[in-house]
């Protein structure tokens, strides 16, 4: 069967299972009696069609909206028009949920080109010979996968809506019309958003929903399958599958996080995992009703119930060992006295307790190096440090490394310290308490953002020693985060200074000579553009791997990836599958952010699929190393030339006098801070005027995606490819695309980003006196990039080789096109009125459109 035919079948299946069913249930949806919508459900198809026709004609959003009301509802005033637009938004938001649910319910039927990269692929490979099975088992001894949930403000659906979606997916699998009808009614009446901004703890609660409802089942299910098929050491030090958690621990990402937040989230994680265990235990208790186990069962029940429902326990401690001992006792009795009846139920709970302990997910602590330096200087000014030169702060980096001392103290933070100093020192002490109550793995990683020098880490270790920790029992991993293009260049040198420092060398030995390094995509993309960001990170990984191997360090990379390709997202598993032997790949660690959480891990089925793909990518890349994944010196030169050309164009754009003003005027950038989905500001230095360097990468990328221009995901790529063509290197670039998994994935993700762009919506700006030339500059680079990528890939349309994904994006973009039009209309109105009451309404109109556009895009922010 040909590849073309297979693709055609997938498209047919998608159209039948998803598009046709969406049209069917959407027609039912539009007739439901929702609050204050009256005839809106009937009017919406006309509005959507009108917007589509207007976009094709490249009419301005204002012209489209005004002509719609003139044609279809001519007798209402402007205020009532705005009211109708709000009702349209209310419907479209729910259409997005309906489409999500239908697509997820059809997941197993659609079939995708990437299906080969799952656990079944490994099992099929293992079935071919014992030698292959042994090779996979050997690889799995060293391999680990850690998924870290982060609280980035683009996870819009509250738990109530996620619950409805979960039930709706199940009803759609069997086309249960009655249940679907009721659930759609419930969806129509359920609020989507908060009236007030959530606290950091609220954000943690929202993400814990996924831990409890999807990851708990998906991760344990995959672990079970792996243990059944391969030789997995259940007592291995590094777990095969691990979960991480940032809400409540990430101070750099959220200045509103404090020590109490961290404590509350640690308590929450402990309580929720015990509730999961208790639910499973009730099934176990219902089945295991035999003599000789009653006392053990009663002890287990009391222990689980107390910890699941008594939130604050003064005598809380790590109970993982005790729980495993009790469960093992039950298991032994079943085997020896009861013919192993129901032993599988007990083994399932044992496996989960091993996986999740009393902590569920490791709570990472993160803080900016500049804050940590200030805290260190405060302590030295207070005379806490002993043995440091009086002018330590003014010493060079080399001199600091020679003079820093490591003396254990038991220093309490003075009352006159500022809030950041208090928080840092109190959190360091709290980490020890969390390890006592939830287990060592509960809180054992401290990430230093904006890490620029080795002393940033060594000084932080001193803060730990001054706060009561002892060097010999310092059960904490210190993890530098290199993110900007310049920081990535010096990362290997920084790490060599650490690997050769006597104290840090000893600390690493006690930690199993294991070092994790975090590399961030977001700020590097904002800092240097798409190609330069990806290439800088690749080169840094090669250099850091070589340095770690030089000093016999077991290196793991922790990738800070966002949802969109512009922040490291896209087809993530393909990146890991394409890592050559120059890059350490025994462990995969990455962040799961924003609406990517619900789109890729929103159900047990999709979570298992995406986790399995990452496992497969990590295992097969080392089992079957592709020589093409090792870039030759010539290929590296080609990519460097392209990255430099792209970087220059992107930096010229950033420095354009209209760059920030354009983004502020025509995107919802200034209003993102008013969206009640996050407890953190959209930019650093919240009170100061907007500067590009202060703008958080997530806000930067989101603003461009709302504009439907995706600049961070493609700008400069076309110019870079054109340069290669002009130099006569085009054939080599084509060969590179066809042979290098890294280069191909990087450009394919760029293509995905471009497929969600639509310059028709802002085409009216070409005639704008002030911004016309700037808009045309953006559009010209888009068209150049598109033309050269189509030529390079030998295709006629973007994403031609991924027809299911292309069709899904197409339908989603069609659903939210009216939202995009409404947003631009409201922004235009905002820029042309001084009426305070109307300004408030326009603000709300813009804000409401943001949710649906991002949710439909699935990886736009």
């Amino acid at each position: 069967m040909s590849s073309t035919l297979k693709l055609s079948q997938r498209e047919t299946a998608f159209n039948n299972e998803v598009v046709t069913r969406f049209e069917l249930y959407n027609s039912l949806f539009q007739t439901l009696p929702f609050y204050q919508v009256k005839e809106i459900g009937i009017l919406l198809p006309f509005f959507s069609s009108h917007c589509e026709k207007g976009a094709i004609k490249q009419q301005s959003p204002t012209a489209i909206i005004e002509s719609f009301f003139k044609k279809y509802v001519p007798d209402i005033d402007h205020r009532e028009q705005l009211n109708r637009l709000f009702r349209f938004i209310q419907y479209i938001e729910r259409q997005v949920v309906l489409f999500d649910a239908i697509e997820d319910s059809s997941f197993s039927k659609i079939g995708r080109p990437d299906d080969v990269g799952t656990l079944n692929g490994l099992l099929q490979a293992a079935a071919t010979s014992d030698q292959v099975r042994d090779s996979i088992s050997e690889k799995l001894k060293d391999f680990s996968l850690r998924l870290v949930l982060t609280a980035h403000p683009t996870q819009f659906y509250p738990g109530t809506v996620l619950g409805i979606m979960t039930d709706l997916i199940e009803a759609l699998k069997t086309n249960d019309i009655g249940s679907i009808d009721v659930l759609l009614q419930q969806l129509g009446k359920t609020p989507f958003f908060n009236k007030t901004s959530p606290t950091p703890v609220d954000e943690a609660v929202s993400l814990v929903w996924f831990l409890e409802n999807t990851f708990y089942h998906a991760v344990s299910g995959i672990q079970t399958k792996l243990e059944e098929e391969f030789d997995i050491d259940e007592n291995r030090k590094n777990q095969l599958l691990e979960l991480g958690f940032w809400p409540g621990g990430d101070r750099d990402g959220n200045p509103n996080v404090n020590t109490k937040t961290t404590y509350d989230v640690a308590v929450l994680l402990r309580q929720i995992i015990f509730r999961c265990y208790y639910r499973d235990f009730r099934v176990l208790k219902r089945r295991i009703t035999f003599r000789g186990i009653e006392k053990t069962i009663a002890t287990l029940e009391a222990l689980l119930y107390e910890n699941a429902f008594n939130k604050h326990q003064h005598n809380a401690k790590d109970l993982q060992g005790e729980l495993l001992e009790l469960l093992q006792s039950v298991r032994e009795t079943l085997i020896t006295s009861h013919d192993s009846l129901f032993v599988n139920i007990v083994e399932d709970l044992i496996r989960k307790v091993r996986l999740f302990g009393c902590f569920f997910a490791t709570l990472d602590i993160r803080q900016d190096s500049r804050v940590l330096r200030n805290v260190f200087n405060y302590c030295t000014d207070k005379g806490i440090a002993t043995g440091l030169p009086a002018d330590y702060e003014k010493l060079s980096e080399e001199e600091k490394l020679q003079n820093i001392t490591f003396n254990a103290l038991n220093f309490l933070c003075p009352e006159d310290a500022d809030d950041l100093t208090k928080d840092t020192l109190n959190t360091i002490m709290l980490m020890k308490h969390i390890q006592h109550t939830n287990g060592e793995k509960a809180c054992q990683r401290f990430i230093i953002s904006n890490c620029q020098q080795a002393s940033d880490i060594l000084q932080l270790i001193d803060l730990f020693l001054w706060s009561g920790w002892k060097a010999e029992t310092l059960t904490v991993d210190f993890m530098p985060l290199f993110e900007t293009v310049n920081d990535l260049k010096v990362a290997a040198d920084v790490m060599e200074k650490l690997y050769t420092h006597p104290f840090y060398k000893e600390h690493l030995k006690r930690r199993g000579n294991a070092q994790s390094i975090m590399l961030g995509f977001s700020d590097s993309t904002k800092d240097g553009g798409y190609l330069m960001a990806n290439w800088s990170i690749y080169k840094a990984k090669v250099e850091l791997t070589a340095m770690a191997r030089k000093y016999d360090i077991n290196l793991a990379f922790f990738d800070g990836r966002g949802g969109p390709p512009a922040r490291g997202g896209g087809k993530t598993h393909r990146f890991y599958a394409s890592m050559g032997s120059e890059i350490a790949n025994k462990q995969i660690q990455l962040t799961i952010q924003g609406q990517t959480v619900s789109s890729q891990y929103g159900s047990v089925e999709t979570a298992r699929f995406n986790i399995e793909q990452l496992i497969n990518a990590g295992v097969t890349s080392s089992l079957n190393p592709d020589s093409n994944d090792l870039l030759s010196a010539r290929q590296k030169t080609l990519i460097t030339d392209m990255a430099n050309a792209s970087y220059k164009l992107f930096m010229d754009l950033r420095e354009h006098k209209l760059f920030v003003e354009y983004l502020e005027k025509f995107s919802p950038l200034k209003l993102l801070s008013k969206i009640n989905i996050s407890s953190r500001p959209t930019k650093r230095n919240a009170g100061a005027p907007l500067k590009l360097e202060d703008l958080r990468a997530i806000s930067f990328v989101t603003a461009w995606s709302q504009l439907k221009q995706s600049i961070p995901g493609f700008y400069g790529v076309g110019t870079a490819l054109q340069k290669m063509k002009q130099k006569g290197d085009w054939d080599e670039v084509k060969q590179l695309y066809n042979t290098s998994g890294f280069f191909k994935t990087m450009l394919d993700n760029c293509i995905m980003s471009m497929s969600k762009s639509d310059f028709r919506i802002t085409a009216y700006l070409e005639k704008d006196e002030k911004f016309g030339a700037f808009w045309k500059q953006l559009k010209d680079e888009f068209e150049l990039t598109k033309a050269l990528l189509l030529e390079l890939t030998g295709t006629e349309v973007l994403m031609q080789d991924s027809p299911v994904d292309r069709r899904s994006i197409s339908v989603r973009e069609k659903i939210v096109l009216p939202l995009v039009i409404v947003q631009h209309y409201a922004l235009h109105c905002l820029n042309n009125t001084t009426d305070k009451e109307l300004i408030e309404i326009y603000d709300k109109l813009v804000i409401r459109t943001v949710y649906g556009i991002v949710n439909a895009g699935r990886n736009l922010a």
Side-chain angles (χ1 to χ4, degrees):
M1 188 179 290
S2 71
S3 174
T4 308
L5 183 56
K6 287 180 182 175
L7 294 175
S8 172
Q9 287 177 334
R10 290 191 183 100
E11 282 186 283
T12 302
F14 186 85
N15 286 332
N16 292 339
E17 292 293 333
V18 179
V19 180
T20 302
R21 288 205 301 156
F22 172 71
E23 290 169 354
L24 174 67
Y25 289 119
N26 187 42
S27 63
L28 168 68
F29 191 47
Q30 289 175 348
T31 62
L32 294 177
F34 297 145
Y35 174 66
Q36 279 192 346
V37 293
K38 300 176 184 175
E39 78 280 13
I40 294 298
I42 298 167
L43 207 53
L44 180 58
F46 295 101
F47 182 60
S48 299
S49 175
H50 192 82
C51 288
E52 193 172 356
K53 289 174 182 174
I56 291 169
K57 295 176 184 175
Q58 298 190 358
Q59 295 176 339
S60 73
T62 304
I64 293 171
I65 298 291
E66 288 178 351
S67 61
F68 170 78
F69 283 117
K70 186 175 180 181
K71 180 176 180 180
Y72 291 97
V73 200
D75 301 325
I76 59 175
D77 61 17
H78 184 60
R79 299 292 177 107
E80 179 56 27
Q81 288 177 355
L82 296 176
N83 183 48
R84 300 293 174 98
L85 292 178
F86 276 112
R87 302 284 81 78
F88 284 145
I89 293 169
Q90 186 181 359
Y91 252 114
I92 294 168
E93 287 166 347
R94 287 157 177 79
Q95 283 182 318
V96 172
V97 173
L98 176 60
F99 188 81
D100 279 349
I102 291 172
E103 194 168 36
D104 286 348
S105 73
S106 309
F107 190 79
S108 61
K109 298 178 183 177
I110 297 169
R112 297 175 183 229
D114 293 325
D115 282 352
V116 291
T118 61
L119 203 50
N120 283 334
L122 277 185
L123 298 178
Q124 287 167 11
T128 59
S129 73
D130 290 340
Q131 186 179 352
V132 174
R133 181 180 295 278
D134 291 343
S135 297
I136 295 173
S137 292
E138 189 63 30
K139 169 59 184 172
L140 289 172
K141 283 181 182 177
D142 297 325
F143 179 77
S144 70
L145 169 65
R146 179 188 292 260
L147 299 178
V148 182
L149 300 182
T150 69
H152 284 294
T154 57
Q155 176 49 57
F156 295 124
Y157 296 136
T160 49
V161 173
L162 289 168
I164 296 169
M165 285 179 70
T166 301
D167 295 339
L168 189 55
I169 289 168
E170 290 307 309
L172 284 162
K173 284 179 180 177
T174 56
N175 288 315
D176 181 352
I177 301 291
S179 295
I180 293 168
D181 182 46
V182 172
L183 288 166
L184 289 177
Q185 289 187 57
Q186 183 187 1
L187 186 67
K189 293 175 178 289
T190 301
F192 268 40
F193 315 111
N194 306 309
K195 289 186 177 179
T196 57
S197 293
T199 67
V201 176
D202 292 334
E203 290 174 333
V205 170
S206 295
L207 281 181
V208 165
W209 188 94
F210 293 96
L211 288 179
E212 183 179 4
N213 291 284
T214 66
F215 285 99
Y216 180 73
H217 304 289
V219 170
S220 59
I222 293 171
Q223 181 78 24
T224 301
K225 204 167 184 180
L226 287 169
E227 288 181 8
E228 287 173 351
E229 297 292 338
F230 303 106
D231 182 18
I232 307 289
D233 180 6
E234 60 186 30
N235 296 312
R236 53 182 281 172
K237 186 180 179 186
N238 289 329
Q239 289 179 200
L240 180 59
L241 300 172
E242 298 178 308
L243 296 174
F245 204 72
W246 272 23
D250 178 15
R251 283 137 175 78
D252 180 46
N254 190 340
N256 297 315
V257 170
N258 56 38
T259 310
K260 185 179 184 308
T261 309
T262 305
Y263 172 79
D264 287 343
V265 172
V267 170
L268 171 70
L269 287 167
R270 188 180 196 278
Q271 184 178 33
I272 295 300
I273 190 57
F274 271 97
R275 286 190 182 177
C276 290
Y277 294 156
Y278 185 72
R279 277 199 296 269
D280 282 356
F281 171 79
R282 290 177 66 182
V283 175
L284 182 151
K285 183 185 176 186
R286 190 182 180 95
R287 291 286 165 266
I288 300 173
T289 52
F290 317 133
R291 293 185 185 280
I293 315 181
E294 301 95 334
K295 282 187 180 179
T296 310
I297 293 289
T299 304
L300 258 174
E301 182 167 28
L303 205 58
L304 293 173
Y305 185 88
E306 169 71 8
N307 287 275
F309 299 103
N310 184 359
K311 189 171 185 181
H312 294 285
Q313 299 181 62
H314 300 296
N315 60 345
K317 63 178 182 178
D318 180 18
L319 296 170
Q320 185 182 32
E322 190 174 343
L323 289 173
L324 287 173
E325 199 174 307
L326 289 166
L327 286 165
Q328 291 286 14
S329 170
V330 173
R331 179 180 178 274
E332 289 304 314
T333 305
L334 291 178
I335 292 171
T336 56
S337 305
H338 300 288
D339 304 317
S340 296
L341 196 58
F342 301 127
V343 74
N344 61 312
I345 298 176
V346 181
E347 287 176 342
D348 179 62
L349 190 51
I350 288 173
R351 188 175 294 109
K352 286 169 178 169
V353 174
R354 278 208 187 97
L355 279 169
F356 308 117
C358 299
F359 58 91
F360 213 155
T362 298
L363 183 58
D364 289 346
I365 306 298
R366 182 171 76 132
Q367 184 54 282
D368 190 279
S369 62
R370 290 162 289 195
V371 173
L372 297 174
R373 281 177 219 145
N374 290 338
V375 176
F376 184 85
N377 293 336
Y378 170 85
C379 291
T380 54
D381 290 345
K382 284 286 181 181
I384 302 306
T386 54
L388 285 180
D391 61 347
Y392 174 84
E393 190 180 343
K394 297 176 183 175
L395 297 179
S396 68
E397 173 69 359
E398 284 68 25
E399 290 170 327
K400 283 181 179 178
L401 297 183
Q402 290 169 8
N403 283 279
I404 192 168
T405 58
F406 299 93
N407 298 314
L409 302 169
N410 211 346
F411 162 64
L412 293 175
C413 184
E415 287 299 316
D416 66 349
D418 62 51
D419 289 343
L420 276 175
T421 300
K422 286 179 182 175
D423 176 70
T424 301
L425 295 172
N426 289 335
T427 299
I428 286 171
M429 289 187 278
L430 176 63
M431 287 178 72
K432 181 179 277 192
H433 173 74
I434 294 172
Q435 287 194 6
H436 172 74
T437 58
N438 296 13
E440 183 184 316
K441 290 181 180 177
C443 194
Q444 63 175 7
R445 304 181 354 145
F446 201 117
I447 299 160
I448 301 95
S449 300
N450 191 42
C451 188
Q452 297 174 330
Q453 49 206 25
S455 58
D456 286 336
I457 288 184
L458 296 177
Q459 289 172 181
L460 174 59
I461 290 177
D462 249 355
L463 294 180
F464 271 77
L465 298 179
W466 299 343
S467 302
W469 290 79
K470 300 288 188 289
E472 298 75 23
T473 54
L474 184 53
T475 50
V476 176
D477 297 315
F478 298 94
M479 191 183 307
L481 165 53
F482 303 108
E483 189 154 25
T484 67
V485 171
N486 287 331
D487 287 349
L488 288 165
K489 285 178 183 175
V490 301
D493 292 336
V494 170
M495 295 314 298
E496 183 166 34
K497 288 173 183 173
L498 285 169
Y499 296 150
T500 55
H501 189 278
F503 183 90
Y504 195 74
K505 199 173 176 182
E506 285 302 308
H507 175 70
L508 274 187
K509 273 186 187 174
R510 287 189 288 269
R511 302 301 292 162
N513 267 344
Q515 174 70 57
S516 292
I517 297 174
M518 186 171 184
L519 301 174
F521 279 75
S522 299
D523 281 335
S524 49
T525 305
K526 181 167 76 81
D527 191 43
Y530 182 74
L531 278 186
M532 180 58 83
N534 279 279
W535 186 229
S536 295
I537 287 166
Y538 185 94
K539 287 193 298 179
K541 281 189 172 184
V542 171
E543 292 166 5
L544 286 164
T545 299
M547 193 62 71
R549 288 172 179 168
K550 178 180 176 181
Y551 294 100
D552 198 25
I553 303 296
N554 180 20
L555 178 62
F557 288 115
F558 176 25
D559 292 316
R561 295 174 175 272
R567 295 199 303 112
K571 295 289 186 182
T572 307
H573 64 281
R574 288 190 188 170
F575 265 117
Y576 291 112
S578 66
M579 294 294 104
S581 58
E582 285 184 300
I583 293 175
N585 67 347
K586 286 182 179 178
Q587 301 177 48
I588 292 177
Q589 300 183 22
L590 72 156
T591 53
I592 309 295
Q593 307 179 0
Q595 82 281 15
T596 308
V597 179
S598 58
S599 65
Q600 294 187 3
Y601 301 90
S603 68
V604 175
E605 190 174 18
T606 55
R608 282 194 65 152
F609 177 80
N610 284 290
I611 294 170
E612 287 181 13
Q613 281 204 311
L614 289 168
I615 295 170
N616 186 293
V619 173
T620 55
S621 67
S622 62
L623 277 180
N624 306 303
D626 187 341
S627 58
N628 290 320
D629 287 331
L630 270 179
L631 297 170
S632 67
R634 172 59 182 161
Q635 289 173 325
K636 288 177 180 177
T637 300
L638 284 173
I639 300 176
T640 299
D641 287 349
M642 285 186 275
N644 287 336
S646 172
Y647 178 74
K648 183 182 184 308
L649 194 77
F650 186 80
M651 294 309 289
D652 287 345
L653 179 69
R654 271 183 44 138
E655 289 161 15
H656 195 290
K657 61 182 180 180
L658 294 178
F659 185 78
V660 174
E661 188 181 352
Y662 177 86
L663 205 53
E664 279 192 297
K665 190 178 180 71
F666 299 111
S667 84
L669 179 62
K670 289 191 291 187
L671 297 174
L672 291 178
S673 60
K674 295 184 180 181
I675 298 178
N676 291 325
I677 55 168
S678 172
S679 64
R680 73 179 191 166
T682 56
K683 67 185 182 77
R684 296 171 176 88
N685 300 324
L690 178 65
K691 293 180 183 175
L692 188 58
E693 55 267 29
D694 290 337
L695 188 62
R696 293 186 183 277
I698 194 167
S699 306
F700 178 73
V701 172
T702 301
W704 283 111
S705 70
Q706 295 286 310
L707 260 168
K708 287 296 167 190
Q709 292 179 355
S710 302
I711 295 301
F714 78 84
Y715 197 83
V717 175
T719 293
L721 292 173
Q722 187 180 51
K723 181 182 177 183
M724 294 297 101
K725 208 167 190 183
Q726 290 168 346
K727 283 176 62 182
D729 296 332
W730 186 247
D731 287 341
E732 287 184 274
V733 174
K734 284 181 78 170
Q735 185 184 15
L736 184 62
Y737 176 81
N738 290 321
T739 58
S740 165
F742 164 74
F743 189 67
K744 183 180 190 305
T745 302
M746 182 169 64
L747 291 191
D748 285 352
N749 280 341
C750 172
I751 290 170
M752 179 193 290
S753 191
M754 293 180 71
S755 70
K756 297 177 183 180
S757 298
D758 189 348
F759 276 81
R760 299 174 308 172
I761 293 157
T762 48
Y764 69 97
L765 289 175
E766 186 173 8
K767 297 171 185 173
D768 187 273
E769 190 175 329
K770 183 175 183 179
F771 294 99
F774 183 78
W775 178 88
K776 194 170 186 313
Q777 181 180 331
L778 303 178
K779 174 69 158 40
D780 288 347
E781 180 65 16
F782 177 85
E783 293 298 341
L784 176 66
T785 305
K786 180 180 176 181
L788 289 175
L789 283 173
L790 290 177
E791 184 180 345
L792 181 70
T793 58
T795 55
E796 296 176 8
V797 293
L798 294 175
M799 294 186 70
Q800 183 174 317
D801 293 335
S802 302
V804 170
D805 288 340
R806 188 182 78 245
R807 185 79 172 104
S808 176
I809 290 169
S810 172
V811 176
R812 289 172 179 279
E813 292 299 308
K814 184 176 180 179
I815 292 170
V816 296
L817 177 63
L819 295 186
V820 181
I821 301 290
V822 170
Q823 182 183 107
H824 284 269
Y825 168 70
L827 285 168
H828 173 78
C829 292
L830 262 176
N831 293 327
N832 291 279
T833 187
T834 55
D835 185 317
K836 288 185 178 179
E837 189 180 345
L838 278 175
I839 287 173
E840 188 176 337
I841 295 172
Y842 295 142
D843 277 357
K844 288 180 181 176
L845 198 57
V846 172
I847 289 166
R848 284 295 297 274
T849 60
V850 171
Y851 298 111
I853 295 169
V854 172
N855 282 333
R858 290 206 152 189
N859 66 352
L860 288 181

